[in-house]
Amino acid sequence: MSDPKKLFIRTYGCQMNVYDSERMAEALGADGYVATDTPDDADMILLNTCHIREKAAEKVYSELGRFKGLKADNPDLKIGVAGCVAQAEGEEIMRRQPLVDLVVGPQTYHRLPQMMEQVAKGEKALDTDFPEEDKFEHLPVRHGAKKAARNPSAFLTVQEGCDKFCAFCVVPYTRGAEVSRPVDRILNEARDLVERGVREITLLGQNVNAYHGAGEGGDWSLARLIWALDKIDGLERIRFTTSHPNDMSDDLIEAHGTCAKLMPYLHLPVQSGSDKILKRMNRSHTADSYLRLIERIREARPDILLSGDFIVGFPEEDDQDFEDTMALIREVKYGQAYSFKYSTRPGTPAAERALVDDAVATDRLHRLQALITEQQRAIQQRMVGKEVGVLFEKAGRLEGQMVGKSDHLHAVHVHAPDGQVGDLRRVRIVDSAPNSLAGELVG
Ligand code: SAH
Ligand code: SF4
Ligand code: F3S
């Protein structure tokens, strides 16, 4: 028998791409491919790409250029581009980089095996449809294969796409309209993950809290889904990301106070603290409505750690708009945040507008990031002396050390010589380093 063909996947962008890469590896696994962790010996290279900012998208082309030598050495090597750049640029990718054999969008990768047949015949394959059928229902899975053990923490996509059309954002175009997966399929997938050793599930969606999947008695909210997951024995922790402020419903806020498995961490992007800019971004919330929402969430779960996303230098952002964003950050006190300089995305409404001077935007980004870092450190410092749960994900660098995530999603290093990956242990935090905490086992 010949050696199995080797597949190398490189993943860019958000957690949903991480999830999709796993699904694509499974689909190609059914086709006889096994994963390899280097492109050098691969028979198939797949880049799962991100289109959110110009830099992310351009990186794909420089990466593809680097595979030229590999393709020269091995003419049978196949190269594919998947994900949001594939969706946004389609055929253009093959024009710009002729060594690409296959382009597949985020909604059609269940068709990869058929596309690979085409590619094997020496043809180019391209599919960036938004099909009627649900890809998750049509994904080939490897029959008879032993179910692989999993990292104790797993992602599970429950909702995809976005109908919000923020003026700067490509997601509604690359991922398509908002769709929720049915409840029973999600619960089955969750049970399967738990059987394979998963103890923490992060529910994914571009607007995960807009979830409204079909379940018993009609459409279910995200909170109702969380309560159903809460009943799965062996599943210890539930998280979800990313949420939109406008979809933070009462039952979800309440669940943060009453569902013990729902972890005290919430990623709730606001983007800006200026009402003028929020309006121009088409965010349909104000700084004040966001702050009031945060207040209600903290009433339900006082120790919740809040995280956010910010864009600085959005077209027409002036000094006062930026100061409004800084004021909002000072009021909320974030435990963590992602911040970006505005990047023009072709085809989005904001692409037509006057840009902020780049040096000004860079300066604002640095100031904002310094403030977030200060808040993050202060919150970490306040964890010292507290007892938290830590789910061990891997061995640490030091002898007898395990590394895992706390309830609040802090990385924690713990001296635990008897520790195993997948253990959920009580840990007292004893120290805070810039990007992690140190703890010791309790009892
Ligand atoms: N669905 C999520 C996030 C989607 S993209 C939400 O609604 O919040 C992740 C983050 O990338 C966004 O929150 C935003 O902060 C940033 N982003 C999106 N488009 C951008 C652009 N054109 N320039 C800079 N940052 C952008
Ligand atoms: Fe993009 Fe806005 Fe949709 Fe988030 S809510 S994915 S930022 S359009
Ligand atoms: Fe990027 Fe697409 Fe995710 S643009 S952030 S990979 S939805």
Side-chain angles (χ1 to χ4, degrees):
M1 218 176 90
S2 62
D3 286 343
K5 292 170 287 179
K6 293 197 182 113
L7 168 70
F8 174 75
I9 304 188
R10 181 162 285 155
T11 308
Y12 304 87
C14 60
Q15 288 121 323
M16 198 173 283
N17 263 10
V18 175
Y19 179 85
D20 288 341
S21 287
E22 288 174 7
R23 299 291 81 74
M24 289 191 278
E26 278 173 14
L28 290 169
D31 230 19
Y33 279 94
V34 296
T36 173
D37 51 16
T38 154
D40 301 337
D41 65 350
D43 300 287
M44 166 86 193
I45 296 174
L46 200 52
L47 300 184
N48 193 13
T49 61
C50 173
H51 199 246
I52 202 81
R53 283 166 291 275
E54 192 181 353
K55 252 194 219 144
E58 280 304 312
K59 208 158 41 184
V60 175
Y61 290 100
S62 53
E63 191 67 29
L64 285 170
R66 266 186 241 144
F67 297 142
K68 258 192 196 134
L70 288 178
K71 192 125 175 170
D73 293 345
N74 173 13
D76 290 335
L77 170 65
K78 304 297 177 199
I79 295 180
V81 178
C84 290
V85 176
Q87 190 62 46
E89 300 187 5
E91 254 173 281
E92 173 66 17
I93 298 173
M94 289 172 173
R95 259 198 299 275
R96 263 184 81 175
Q97 186 43 273
L99 59 74
V100 172
D101 300 289
L102 173 149
V103 171
V104 62
Q107 303 306 348
T108 45
Y109 61 73
H110 55 295
R111 299 175 180 164
L112 264 173
Q114 293 95 292
M115 296 176 77
M116 291 303 292
E117 280 173 29
Q118 241 180 298
V119 168
K121 284 188 259 169
E123 295 164 20
K124 303 241 171 193
L126 173 111
D127 195 339
T128 52
D129 281 358
F130 285 108
E132 284 290 313
E133 77 265 16
D134 171 0
K135 66 172 175 251
F136 297 118
E137 273 305 279
H138 290 81
L139 272 175
V141 284
R142 217 175 327 179
H143 291 294
K146 200 171 145 276
K147 284 184 176 175
R150 295 285 308 239
N151 182 295
S153 180
F155 295 130
L156 201 175
T157 293
V158 302
Q159 178 277 338
E160 200 171 347
C162 180
D163 295 339
K164 298 258 186 322
F165 291 93
C166 299
F168 49 80
C169 183
V170 295
V171 171
Y173 312 97
T174 62
R175 292 276 167 173
E178 198 194 289
V179 178
S180 296
R181 293 178 69 192
V183 170
D184 57 347
R185 304 214 185 117
I186 294 166
L187 295 179
N188 284 341
E189 194 171 325
R191 286 188 206 103
D192 181 64
L193 288 168
V194 171
E195 266 174 41
R196 293 198 264 164
V198 166
R199 306 192 75 188
E200 171 180 277
I201 291 180
T202 302
L203 306 174
L204 297 182
Q206 269 92 30
N207 273 289
V208 72
N209 57 342
Y211 178 82
H212 55 87
E216 209 186 299
D219 278 2
W220 284 31
S221 66
L222 184 67
R224 194 159 170 203
L225 180 67
I226 287 168
W227 280 112
L229 289 161
D230 176 73
K231 293 190 186 67
I232 298 179
D233 282 336
L235 179 62
E236 308 293 345
R237 290 169 148 192
I238 304 166
R239 306 180 186 275
F240 59 90
T241 197
T242 297
S243 299
H244 191 286
N246 289 8
D247 295 312
M248 239 13 244
S249 56
D250 293 346
D251 59 348
L252 189 56
I253 295 175
E254 197 185 311
H256 269 292
T258 49
C259 179
K261 289 185 184 176
L262 186 56
M263 291 293 101
Y265 178 98
L266 180 64
H267 184 61
L268 196 62
V270 65
Q271 313 297 354
S272 167
S274 151
D275 287 345
K276 177 189 105 187
I277 294 297
L278 285 169
K279 198 155 190 226
R280 291 179 189 187
M281 287 177 162
N282 192 29
R283 286 289 294 183
S284 62
H285 57 76
T286 62
D288 189 55
S289 70
Y290 180 83
L291 290 171
R292 277 185 284 125
L293 178 61
I294 298 287
E295 217 171 277
R296 288 178 52 220
I297 295 163
R298 281 195 165 132
E299 264 164 36
R301 182 77 202 224
D303 73 333
I304 200 159
L305 190 143
L306 289 162
S307 147
D309 287 352
F310 297 90
I311 295 179
V312 302
F314 186 77
E316 295 152 21
E317 180 188 75
D318 62 26
D319 286 340
Q320 186 54 50
D321 297 319
F322 177 67
E323 290 310 326
D324 290 349
T325 300
M326 295 291 273
L328 179 137
I329 295 171
R330 279 187 205 99
E331 188 143 347
V332 174
K333 298 185 177 67
Y334 288 93
Q336 202 266 339
Y338 301 95
S339 48
F340 315 96
K341 202 155 64 163
Y342 170 72
S343 168
T344 303
R345 306 314 289 128
T348 59
E352 307 299 317
R353 302 181 198 162
L355 288 174
V356 168
D357 179 81
D358 190 57
V360 171
T362 301
D363 179 61
R364 286 178 190 162
L365 184 65
H366 291 158
R367 282 183 56 205
L368 186 149
Q369 287 177 339
L371 177 57
I372 296 281
T373 302
E374 193 186 303
Q375 296 191 335
Q376 181 186 331
R377 299 231 167 118
I379 286 173
Q380 278 188 207
Q381 197 56 47
R382 277 205 298 281
M383 296 307 297
V384 175
K386 293 214 168 82
E387 230 183 74
V388 293
V390 176
L391 179 62
F392 293 165
E393 291 181 2
K394 57 180 186 202
R397 270 188 289 131
L398 304 180
E399 177 81 25
Q401 190 188 52
M402 296 300 291
V403 189
K405 297 277 165 41
S406 75
D407 305 335
H408 300 88
L409 211 57
H410 286 123
V412 188
H413 294 81
V414 186
H415 181 67
D418 67 335
Q420 301 284 329
V421 169
D423 287 355
L424 180 58
R425 305 284 289 265
R426 295 302 295 170
V427 167
R428 183 173 300 102
I429 302 301
V430 294
D431 200 6
S432 167
N435 289 307
S436 66
L437 299 171
E440 54 191 31
L441 293 173
V442 175

